[in-house]
Amino acid sequence: MARNAMTATADGAEDGESGRVVFAAIASNLAITVTKFVAAVFTGSASMLSEAVHSLVDTGNEALMLVGLKRSKKPPDERHPFGYARELYFWTFVVALVIFAGGAVVSIYEGVEKILHPQQVESPWINFVVLGIAFVMEGISWTIALRAFNASRGEAGMIETVHASKDPTVFIVLFEDSAALIGLLIAAACLSADLVLDQPVWDGIGSVLIGLVLAMTAAFLAYETKSLLIGESARPDLVRGVRALLMEDAAVDRVNEVLTIHLGPQVVIVTVSLDVRDEVSAGQVEQALARIERRVTERFPEIRRVFTEVRAAGLPTDNRTNRNG
């Protein structure tokens, strides 16, 4: 009961932080989306339309992440005995695909159209006002996501932390907002070039560049979330900690393997292979397995199940007894 309470507390804190980041991003992007679409209609700017589509896609993506967060908390059932934690990884992978298909492709297409058929941007000052407002709002969302991201990374580098992270919601929002800020700067620069040089083709070039930024962002996020969806091992310090705990037990002679896999940010399954001492009886083995599972799950609340493969010390590898801890 104590372990369940501890796990629920840890999960709640983790989900609460992720939820706050996602809700902040949704509120920001929804307001920005409406503003950009209005500006795009009044000015006819391809860069602004690309930015509007970008913000619309971001808003939908964050809604998908909320779906993933909610569905990942469904309890285990007969069809899914280990629960639905991996739903979060599925929906974040969908987000990466949507960024590419719904953002990058549309922006590049719109940009190419404007390059081939350039049109003068009307009332350009409206675009600059909207871009300024959007930059401030995106900056607020980006700051919230960055603080949450930094709180989890400690002294590690940004890319290293993304590779090691098992919770994709925070770093996806951070990278989406980063791409949005870069896109805003590109839109402002290209619209300025359009005005200064009196060449409407720059508006289309800006749209294409924004699309390329989105494509690179989508590719990176797809790569990271694919790895989580396939299944990643737990962090090295957890694996070392489990091994050390096992070696402390009087019944254990040697720890052969400690295999782990994340089903969700705070859901880990562990499989261990042990050699037990020759003098340990069958009854003592059962007691040792129960004791090991209790100690491991108390020390590491994210570990939900421990499976053990037990054999007597000195036996060859193929003479093993499989047991669940």
Side-chain angles (χ1 to χ4, degrees):
M1 184 66 69
R3 174 187 174 263
N4 291 337
M6 187 186 307
T7 301
T9 301
D11 288 356
E14 189 81 19
D15 294 343
E17 186 63 31
S18 299
R20 280 191 293 273
V21 171
V22 175
F23 273 117
I26 287 178
S28 173
N29 281 317
L30 193 57
I32 293 170
T33 298
V34 175
T35 307
K36 286 179 179 177
F37 269 118
V38 172
V41 170
F42 276 100
T43 64
S45 169
S47 294
M48 183 56 68
L49 181 60
S50 295
E51 277 297 307
V53 171
H54 181 182
S55 295
L56 179 63
V57 170
D58 283 353
T59 304
N61 287 342
E62 279 125 22
L64 289 176
M65 282 191 282
L66 285 181
V67 171
L69 281 169
K70 181 177 180 180
R71 291 185 62 85
S72 68
K73 294 302 154 189
K74 291 175 62 178
D77 54 32
E78 188 174 338
R79 291 190 61 191
H80 298 89
F82 292 107
Y84 291 79
R86 204 168 267 180
E87 284 253 17
L88 178 61
Y89 296 157
F90 168 76
W91 287 106
T92 50
F93 185 73
V94 170
V95 164
L97 299 180
V98 171
I99 292 174
F100 180 79
V105 173
V106 172
S107 295
I108 292 173
Y109 173 80
E110 183 66 21
V112 171
E113 279 289 308
K114 283 301 176 82
I115 291 173
L116 296 177
H117 307 97
Q119 297 178 2
Q120 193 68 42
V121 175
E122 300 177 4
S123 304
W125 63 269
I126 295 178
N127 285 330
F128 289 107
V129 171
V130 170
L131 289 175
I133 295 172
F135 194 88
V136 171
M137 298 183 71
E138 289 284 7
I140 293 172
S141 175
W142 181 85
T143 301
I144 294 172
L146 181 63
R147 287 176 179 171
F149 182 79
N150 285 338
S152 65
R153 77 186 181 105
E155 299 298 322
M158 179 170 288
I159 300 301
E160 178 185 353
T161 302
V162 171
H163 285 319
S165 176
K166 310 305 178 187
D167 184 357
T169 53
V170 173
F171 74 72
I172 281 186
V173 171
L174 179 63
F175 276 79
E176 276 189 344
D177 287 345
S178 298
L181 291 173
I182 293 172
L184 290 170
L185 293 175
I186 291 173
C190 289
L191 286 171
S192 298
D194 182 350
L195 288 176
V196 173
L197 302 176
D198 194 24
Q199 294 182 359
V201 70
W202 279 100
D203 186 35
I205 292 173
S207 183
V208 171
L209 292 176
I210 291 169
L212 292 176
V213 169
L214 290 175
M216 289 187 290
T217 303
F220 179 76
L221 294 179
Y223 174 79
E224 290 297 331
T225 52
K226 176 184 75 73
S227 181
L228 291 170
L229 189 60
I230 292 172
E232 289 187 354
S233 62
R235 62 186 189 275
D237 64 295
L238 183 146
V239 176
R240 290 193 298 269
V242 170
R243 183 178 290 274
L245 272 180
L246 296 174
M247 286 304 301
E248 291 174 2
D249 195 279
V252 176
D253 180 69
R254 186 176 67 176
V255 179
N256 301 312
E257 289 182 309
V258 178
L259 304 178
T260 61
I261 187 169
H262 266 271
L263 299 185
Q266 295 295 317
V267 181
V268 179
I269 304 297
V270 177
T271 299
V272 298
S273 173
L274 304 172
D275 287 356
V276 297
R277 301 186 184 280
D278 293 337
E279 62 271 19
V280 176
S281 66
Q284 291 173 323
V285 168
E286 295 289 343
Q287 295 174 4
L289 295 182
R291 185 169 60 245
I292 286 170
E293 180 178 10
R294 184 179 67 253
R295 288 177 178 174
V296 168
T297 53
E298 286 177 353
R299 176 73 64 86
F300 303 102
E302 62 264 54
I303 295 178
R304 302 302 172 85
R305 296 290 294 273
V306 179
F307 297 92
T308 56
E309 180 185 57
V310 179
R311 61 177 183 171
L315 284 181
T317 303
D318 55 351
N319 289 334
R320 297 181 177 181
T321 302
N322 294 326
R323 317 184 77 130
N324 293 337

